[in-house]
Amino acid sequence: MGKKKVMLPAAEVDLTNVRYDHEEIQAPHMTGLGLKLFVWLLEAPIIGSLIVSYLRKKNRMVELLRNTSIPEPPMFKPEFPPQGPEHGVIVVEENGKPEDRVAAALKCLPEYDPATCWNDDSTSFRYWKIRDFAYAYRARLTTPSMVAEHLISALEEFNKNNPSTPFLISFNAEDVRKQAAASTERFEEGSPISHLDGIFMAIKDDIDCYPHPSKGGTTWFHEVRPVNKDAISVSRLRSCGVILIGKANMHELGLGTTGNNANYGTTRNPHALDRYTGGSSSGPAAIVASGLCSAALGTDGGGSVRIPSSLCGVVGLKSTYGRTDMQGSLCDAGTVEIIGPIASTVEDVILVYAAILGSSPADRISLKPSLPCFPNLSSQESIRSLGSVRLGKYTEWFNDVYSGEVSKKCEDVLNLLAETHGCQILDIAIPELHEMRTAHVVSIGSESLCSLNPYCEDGKGQKLTYDTRTNLALFRSFTATDYIASQRLRRRLMCYHMEIFQNVDIMVSPTTGMTAPLIPSSALKAGESNLQVSGYLMRFAVAANLLGLPAISIPVGYDKQGLPIGLQLLGRPWAEASLLRMASAIEDICGKTKKKPALYYDILKGK
């Protein structure tokens, strides 16, 4: 008999007396034939249950979920206490037109002269901003149709590379030309819809973008779920004149963190083609990092926007749960996922976020979101306000990374923030991090399995990749008791985080515990299961998902191998503007050290 453990009520836990517990996931690393054999054993009637039971015990899941008395009632989706207003912001109506919100966001951006940048012949690398494209179109230096041809040529060239770089799962050159021609005509008539008119974006393959199918990175999901219209977020982009180039590659069904996809080929990291992009939004992050798109949409249920953004050296925003309408995505029934923008700069993230934000009618009733707003980056008062920001850092956790270069670079940036803007860096402690990781995997796993089970029972499960089937075998072991226990833990963890936020404004950590991992050659055809790597990639990610909090990853530099490192900011509910303001300040400090990716194409000037 296991000894029963009784937890203190969360309100009685002393946050000044928390002991950090280093943890590594206990599971075998497998690729190729070994992975195939392991999945065969996992799916066998008796031995499979024994293997899963052993792995659950090794990772203390049974002790936590079955043998622990948790006093809090369950929280089945994030519940937020009322939040005070953010300062130095411009508030917008989420019921308004997306193009009006984009116009409001544009007014918040700092002064910038695209003409000077267009004629700048310096050798230092920089990404073109959305404002650069908008200027070039309005000054008739190029047209969306000309840029479309550059994009199509670049994609054809990249697909011929060895190794190939499969950014997209679905792409139609004629559809791109048609959208670009319509945008070009609007510019010729002097009537562009918004500052996003003529901007090229990719959409992750689990978000509907008509007429493309939504496969979720599988070979069959489009057969059981046809697409008849755009997802809400995509329709908002389209109404702003965005040119949607197709469906970006992803880790199958979002159930992985590396971006490996044996069905369509694994997207390569533009900074090092032998490395993973991170996932599951692998294609969106890589296509932005390679210069082919100004921005992309991803989904984030366990770091899936922030992880690949960090590994590919771009910016990824995970907004508050319920801030964006999830209708039209494959994960629209979950309690941990959001749709979020990935872009090469913070200001481009702001412009895309402005277009897609807006809660669903149901979430407005249940979550009572604060009105959306943007940081007024054009105001000196807004910049001066950075000096009063309190940044919370859990030092033991912050430093618990695979490579010390990651934590060292992030630490250096925090010191620069303190020197430049006077930000306070305060020590914090977060209890029950193991419990948080367990509650997250049970929540996302149970919700994913609930959506997939009808198709798996119909025989479709055998068509999934081997690493997806490995995850599903674990998910099938979760019981109703496990799920309820996880939701009780969710309430405890929300209580801790809200208490910490009484003393700090933003929590800071590396985005990932390691830089981009190598792609084993044996993983390309059969996939890979490496939960130790997943643990390092997700180490700092899950609070934002389990608790629904906003977070953003900003590139802050590189390790000795030239691989990007990201810093994560985690904020209070609905406080996206505060995160974006701080992210912009970090970008100003670190932006001058941008390194041109090994795989990069300038689609604006066509070179």
Side-chain angles (χ1 to χ4, degrees), residues 203 206-210 214 225 227-238 244 297 325-330 332 339:
I203 307 299
D206 61 353
I207 306 170
D208 291 345
C209 180
Y210 186 79
S214 290
R225 184 187 174 277
V227 173
N228 300 309
K229 61 180 181 178
D230 289 334
I232 296 292
S233 55
V234 175
S235 69
R236 289 170 177 166
L237 292 173
R238 203 183 290 274
L244 304 165
L297 285 192
D325 194 325
M326 294 293 290
Q327 183 179 332
S329 68
L330 302 192
D332 58 4
I339 293 173

Side-chain angles (χ1 to χ4, degrees), residues 205-271:
D205 194 38
D206 61 353
I207 306 170
D208 291 345
C209 180
Y210 186 79
H212 299 277
S214 290
K215 301 178 182 180
T218 72
T219 59
W220 55 267
F221 210 86
H222 59 296
E223 298 171 1
V224 299
R225 184 187 174 277
V227 173
N228 300 309
K229 61 180 181 178
D230 289 334
I232 296 292
S233 55
V234 175
S235 69
R236 289 170 177 166
L237 292 173
R238 203 183 290 274
S239 71
C240 291
V242 170
I243 297 171
L244 304 165
I245 71 165
K247 304 302 291 295
N249 206 346
M250 61 179 287
H251 204 117
E252 187 180 62
L253 294 173
L255 299 180
T257 58
T258 60
N260 182 291
N261 189 310
N263 296 322
Y264 300 99
T266 296
T267 305
R268 306 290 182 136
N269 192 314
H271 287 271

Side-chain angles (χ1 to χ4, degrees), residues 3-217:
K3 185 178 180 182
K4 180 181 176 183
K5 176 184 174 184
V6 179
M7 286 182 157
L8 276 176
E12 298 179 18
V13 174
D14 182 2
L15 297 190
T16 65
N17 190 28
V18 173
R19 183 174 65 87
Y20 182 71
D21 184 15
H22 169 77
E23 181 183 40
E24 288 192 25
I25 296 174
Q26 303 296 312
H29 173 209
M30 294 161 297
T31 63
L33 183 61
L35 178 58
K36 292 181 182 181
L37 177 61
F38 185 71
V39 171
W40 181 79
L41 292 171
L42 272 182
E43 295 177 344
I46 297 174
I47 194 169
S49 297
L50 293 173
I51 293 171
V52 171
S53 178
Y54 172 77
L55 290 173
R56 283 171 57 104
K57 287 179 181 177
K58 286 287 286 183
N59 289 284
R60 297 188 290 156
M61 296 183 77
V62 173
E63 172 194 342
L64 174 61
L65 299 172
R66 305 281 174 86
N67 301 336
T68 302
S69 176
I70 307 169
E72 282 73 25
M75 178 189 289
F76 291 104
K77 63 190 295 188
E79 299 171 11
F80 305 123
Q83 301 295 308
E86 295 182 86
H87 302 290
V89 300
I90 292 179
V91 179
V92 294
E93 292 290 335
E94 60 180 345
N95 284 330
K97 294 180 178 180
E99 55 268 40
D100 291 342
R101 292 196 298 270
V102 171
L106 186 65
K107 294 177 182 177
C108 295
L109 301 182
E111 187 176 337
Y112 176 68
D113 182 12
T116 300
C117 293
W118 180 269
N119 296 313
D120 183 6
D121 293 326
S122 67
T123 57
S124 60
F125 174 73
R126 59 181 291 274
Y127 284 104
W128 293 116
K129 299 181 180 183
I130 286 173
R131 286 198 278 181
D132 292 312
F133 281 84
Y135 163 75
Y137 294 154
R138 285 160 177 78
R140 300 182 184 272
L141 298 171
T142 189
T143 68
S145 288
M146 293 169 65
V147 175
E149 294 305 320
H150 298 158
L151 170 70
I152 292 166
S153 297
L155 281 171
E156 290 174 350
E157 178 184 328
F158 288 171
N159 288 334
K160 294 175 185 175
N161 286 351
N162 187 16
S164 64
T165 51
F167 292 119
L168 299 170
I169 287 176
S170 179
F171 173 71
N172 185 319
E174 290 311 311
D175 180 59
V176 172
R177 287 186 174 109
K178 182 179 177 181
Q179 293 179 69
S183 179
T184 297
E185 185 175 344
R186 290 192 292 271
F187 279 102
E188 288 174 347
E189 293 172 351
S191 56
I193 300 172
S194 76
H195 231 64
L196 295 182
D197 204 337
I199 300 303
F200 292 77
M201 286 187 60
I203 307 299
K204 188 180 179 182
D205 194 38
D206 61 353
I207 306 170
D208 291 345
C209 180
Y210 186 79
H212 299 277
S214 290
K215 301 178 182 180

Side-chain angles (χ1 to χ4, degrees), residues 180 215 331 378 400 492:
K215 301 178 182 180
C331 49
S378 63
D400 189 3
R492 287 177 69 82

Side-chain angles (χ1 to χ4, degrees), residues 266-469:
T266 296
T267 305
R268 306 290 182 136
N269 192 314
H271 287 271
L273 300 183
D274 59 346
R275 303 271 176 168
Y276 281 121
T277 57
S280 62
S281 304
S282 51
I287 207 165
V288 171
S290 66
L292 294 179
C293 285
S294 297
L297 285 192
T299 54
D300 191 319
S304 291
V305 161
R306 291 160 288 147
I307 291 169
S309 295
S310 176
L311 268 53
C312 291
V314 292
V315 183
L317 173 67
K318 186 260 166 208
S319 53
T320 307
Y321 177 80
R323 177 63 90 190
T324 54
D325 194 325
M326 294 293 290
Q327 183 179 332
S329 68
L330 302 192
C331 49
D332 58 4
T335 67
V336 297
E337 297 93 346
I338 59 91
I339 293 173
I342 296 173
S344 57
T345 63
V346 173
E347 73 165 58
D348 287 356
V349 160
I350 292 173
L351 292 173
V352 176
Y353 167 64
I356 67 170
L357 66 80
S359 304
S360 69
D363 283 341
R364 286 178 207 168
I365 294 170
S366 63
L367 296 175
K368 299 179 176 60
S370 305
L371 284 173
C373 54
F374 313 122
N376 188 359
L377 302 178
S378 63
S379 161
Q380 285 299 314
E381 179 185 348
S382 178
I383 296 170
R384 285 193 295 270
S385 70
L386 291 168
S388 63
V389 175
R390 300 164 299 171
L391 301 175
K393 175 186 165 217
Y394 188 5
T395 301
E396 291 89 347
W397 190 40
F398 191 101
N399 292 331
D400 189 3
V401 293
Y402 182 79
S403 167
E405 290 182 75
V406 172
S407 54
K408 176 66 166 58
K409 176 59 69 174
C410 292
E411 179 82 34
D412 290 345
V413 170
L414 294 182
N415 291 334
L416 278 171
L417 269 178
E419 292 172 14
T420 306
H421 296 289
C423 304
Q424 301 177 64
I425 316 287
L426 304 178
D427 285 326
I428 60 171
I430 307 171
E432 301 172 16
L433 291 173
H434 167 69
E435 287 81 352
M436 181 164 65
R437 287 188 285 268
T438 302
H440 173 263
V441 74
V442 172
S443 298
I444 193 171
S446 300
E447 292 163 10
S448 299
L449 185 63
C450 182
S451 299
L452 291 171
N453 223 34
Y455 310 118
C456 293
E457 292 295 321
D458 199 31
K460 299 290 188 183
Q462 296 299 309
K463 296 182 179 180
L464 295 170
T465 58
Y466 291 105
D467 69 310
T468 299
R469 289 161 64 180

